[in-house]
Every structure is written in C-alpha cells, then in structure tokens.
Amino acid sequence: MAGTTLRILIVGAGIAGLGVARALRMAGLRPDVVDREPPSAGPGAAIFLPGNATRALAGLGLTGPLRPLGAVIHRQSICDAGGEPLCELDLGQLWDGVGESRALPRADLQRVLVSAVGGVVRHNTAVTNLELDEGGPVKVDFADGTRTEYDLVIGADGRRSTVRALAGLGGAARRTGQFVYRSVVYGGPPVTDWTGLLGAHSSFVVMPMGDRRLYCYAHETVPDGATLPDDGLARVREVFGGYGGPVPAVLDALEKVQLAAPEEVEVGGWSRGRVLLVGDAAHSTSPTLSQGAAMALEDAIVLAEVLRTHAGDLPAALAAYEKRRRPRTRWVLDRTRDRDRTGDVAPDTRDPLLRKRGDRIFRDYYAPLRDPA
C-alpha cells in the first residue's frame, strides 16, 4: 500500500495493540509495539469470544491457530439463582454466517496474537511524554530517556490509558458499580453450555473450555466507593453460596480468583493530531456482553482499511476511522448498560419476563453486530 513509510508506534501489547499490529503488518506496515509491563506479566483466567470476535480473528488470518484452542460454545442457558431454566439462546443460529463462539484461556489468545506479529514487542518500555506538533510527527519520550518521532501514535493501552492522558483526549475511566471475579476450574462439574445463573444484583457464569476446564465469571453490584475484598475466594463463596445448578460444585473446586472493578471509558474524540485511541483506551465497557475483545479486533481491521483507503492523508484516515467505529461501540456501551440494569431488576419481576421473551431480548442485544464492522 502507499504510505508504507509511515512510522507508527503502538502503545500496549494486549488484544487491542497486537490486533492492530497484525492488521497493519498485513497491510504492509511495520509498526513498533511497546508495553510497559514485562513479558512475564501475561494475562490470566480466560475469555469468551462471540461470533463477531472470531470473525475479526479470521479477518486477521488467525482461524487456523485459534481452532485447536478452548472449546466452541453452541448454546447459552440462562437460569435463575436456583438453577431453574429461564431461557436459552442458540449461538450457532445467532452467529450463523458470522463466526463460532469460543471459550479459551486468555493466555492462549495472547500467544496467538504475539506469534502473529512475529513476537516483536519491546517490553518494560513506558511512554512518559508526547509532544504533538500539528501537522507534523509526534515526539515520544520513553522512560529510558530516549526520544523518537512517529507519524502516528496509537494508544492501545487499556482503560487507564497513559496515551489518552498525555494527549489530553479524556479524563479517567469511571467505575461501572460492579466487582467481577474470574477463575479457571479444573475437574469441576460437567458443563456443556455457557450457563448463567441470575440472582439479586449478582450473576454467576460457567462455560467449558475443553480438557475438563471451566471458565467461571461472576459479578456483583456494589455501592459507589466500595473497595475490592481482600480475599476474593472467600467473597465469591459468601455471595454465591446459596446458588444452585453447577455453582456449588464449582465453588468446591475453586482454588483462586482474580478480582476486578470494571470501568467505562467514554471520551469526546478518539484522536488529537497524530495520536489515536483504540480498544478499551477509547471505549471500555463492563464485560457483560463479552464485546471488549471483539470491538478491539474490529478496530484493528477498520483502522488498517482506512489507512489504506486514505493513503497519504492521515487526518482523513483518522476521521474516517472514528466515524465508522463510533456508532458501533456506542451501541455496545448502551446495550451493556441496558443489560446491567436488567441484572439489577428484582428477580420476581425479571424472571417471568425472561421466561416469556428472554431469547428475543438477548438476540436484540447482538443483532447489529452480525453485520461486518
């Protein structure tokens, strides 16, 4: 493509950063990728990829490496806290012609993406300052005292993005009012579907990943200012000890839990000069709809396309990127908020509604995402 001499820096080597690096390399560009963390600080727990996420990975040429990892999820089963069915969603039908849904260890996906960019990531490399020159290159200062100029700096460094702060593109991320608990259980109860149990202001999700592994994701709504518990394992057993279905056996098998307080990012603009935000740095939401990875990977594909289409006109490319992506990520944010509010409706009101038309409600959440990004 024209413009292959663009000097591009990607800050952040998670799903968003590596996805962008892969898409740009496929377009003939060779970006630098840096991450402030050491390579040993890899991701834990697991991840659920809905159909539009696996479609994006296919667009990045990664279907083959992904295929042997984890397990394909064919159905979502939503139950009340006691384990009684409320509704079901056929994922094969929902994502027909789009992509399969898959659960796998997050570290496995990370390895696929690192391999896809040739493993060229400069770890332990933090960005400390950005000097923006309107119309000219961005001067980037690193923690080791070096300075380099880039034609484009891409902030893929998550919801607490350093790039976003240094470029003046928005304030701090905002908590969504939840605590989430993630774990991988080995040798737990037999579970064949994505199985979610909904309680009062809390939920517990279990799904298979193959090799007798289960990915467990739980959340509870918390008041403003709440602090994460010191002992996540004890807290999970306290909150979900009265749940039914597979949860008691899962709790017995739990050995450790990862804790997090999800945060939203909503900013007025995703670029300033030659600095651009992608992924959670631009549009983080709570993980309720499992769309974080999908949105980041779609960002990567669209960014590569607009850089190719607007070769030689970087401002036009960045404007076209945001115009194309913002309505879709806004939909995800709005539907995520809707879903979170539904989770906080009293069970005696919510459960009859889900029994009556839960499958339609959940289909509507994802319907526009069946279309290409």
Side-chain angles (χ1 to χ4, degrees):
M1 64 177 280
T4 54
T5 58
L6 278 177
R7 298 163 298 174
I8 300 176
L9 174 67
I10 299 172
V11 182
I15 293 173
L18 294 174
V20 170
R22 170 68 173 181
L24 296 185
R25 286 170 69 92
M26 292 176 69
L29 296 161
R30 290 295 179 267
D32 291 342
V33 184
V34 300
D35 195 283
R36 62 189 172 195
E37 301 293 339
S40 59
I47 188 168
F48 174 65
L49 300 174
N52 61 322
T54 56
R55 173 176 57 194
L57 286 163
L60 295 174
L62 300 177
T63 298
L66 187 69
R67 187 175 293 119
L69 304 175
V72 175
I73 308 297
H74 299 284
R75 184 173 60 175
Q76 286 186 328
S77 176
I78 295 93
C79 307
D80 64 18
E84 292 299 316
L86 296 174
C87 60
E88 292 183 349
L89 191 61
D90 185 329
L91 294 178
Q93 185 180 71
L94 173 64
W95 298 110
D96 183 37
V98 178
E100 63 191 15
S101 299
R102 183 177 293 272
L104 71 159
R106 186 177 283 264
D108 285 356
L109 177 60
Q110 182 79 5
R111 280 190 287 269
V112 167
L113 292 169
V114 169
S115 296
V117 300
V120 184
V121 177
R122 287 161 48 199
H123 287 278
N124 298 303
T125 305
V127 172
T128 57
N129 189 55
L130 300 175
E131 186 176 317
L132 282 68
D133 180 7
E134 187 172 348
V138 182
K139 298 178 177 65
V140 182
D141 292 328
F142 296 98
D144 63 2
T146 60
R147 168 176 278 205
T148 308
E149 292 187 352
Y150 289 95
D151 300 304
L152 175 61
V153 174
I154 300 172
D157 49 345
R159 64 188 190 277
R160 298 187 177 184
S161 169
T162 297
V163 171
R164 186 176 69 240
L166 291 174
L169 279 166
R174 301 184 303 273
R175 280 195 174 185
T176 62
Q178 301 170 334
F179 288 162
V180 300
Y181 308 89
R182 297 181 175 93
S183 185
V184 174
V185 169
Y186 298 86
V191 176
T192 58
D193 301 325
W194 182 106
T195 303
L197 290 85
L198 307 182
H201 307 293
S202 59
S203 66
F204 198 104
V205 175
V206 186
M207 67 193 83
M209 294 196 301
D211 297 328
R212 298 196 66 202
R213 298 170 300 178
L214 298 175
Y215 172 35
C216 306
Y217 165 89
H219 104 278
E220 62 170 322
T221 302
V222 298
D224 292 342
T227 57
L228 283 168
D230 294 329
D231 188 336
L233 187 56
R235 180 61 180 169
V236 167
R237 288 175 170 154
E238 176 187 352
V239 174
F240 301 99
Y243 274 49
V247 175
V250 168
L251 295 180
D252 287 343
L254 274 181
E255 295 182 356
K256 58 182 180 180
V257 172
Q258 292 183 352
L259 296 80
E263 294 174 320
E264 283 184 355
V265 172
E266 188 178 12
V267 296
W270 293 350
S271 66
R272 181 183 174 201
R274 292 170 174 256
V275 177
L276 174 71
L277 304 177
V278 300
D280 281 352
H283 46 70
S284 177
T285 70
S286 81
T288 307
L289 293 186
S290 301
Q291 282 294 313
M295 291 299 102
L297 294 166
E298 289 181 0
D299 283 355
I301 290 172
V302 172
L303 179 57
E305 288 179 3
V306 299
L307 288 174
R308 181 173 60 248
T309 302
H310 298 277
D313 191 345
L314 190 58
L318 300 188
Y321 165 79
E322 184 166 351
K323 182 179 180 180
R324 187 166 157 189
R325 291 298 295 152
R326 190 176 273 275
R328 194 170 177 97
T329 60
R330 181 71 212 190
W331 170 271
V332 170
L333 175 61
D334 289 343
R335 298 295 77 74
T336 298
R337 288 172 173 172
D338 289 346
R339 177 90 168 259
D340 288 341
R341 283 192 291 267
T342 300
D344 288 331
V345 173
D348 58 356
T349 300
R350 178 197 63 211
D351 293 355
L353 176 64
L354 293 180
R355 288 190 183 97
K356 185 177 181 180
R357 54 190 183 95
D359 59 341
R360 180 177 177 181
I361 292 171
F362 290 120
R363 284 179 183 279
D364 288 347
Y365 285 141
Y366 295 103
L369 304 180
R370 288 178 42 83
D371 297 329

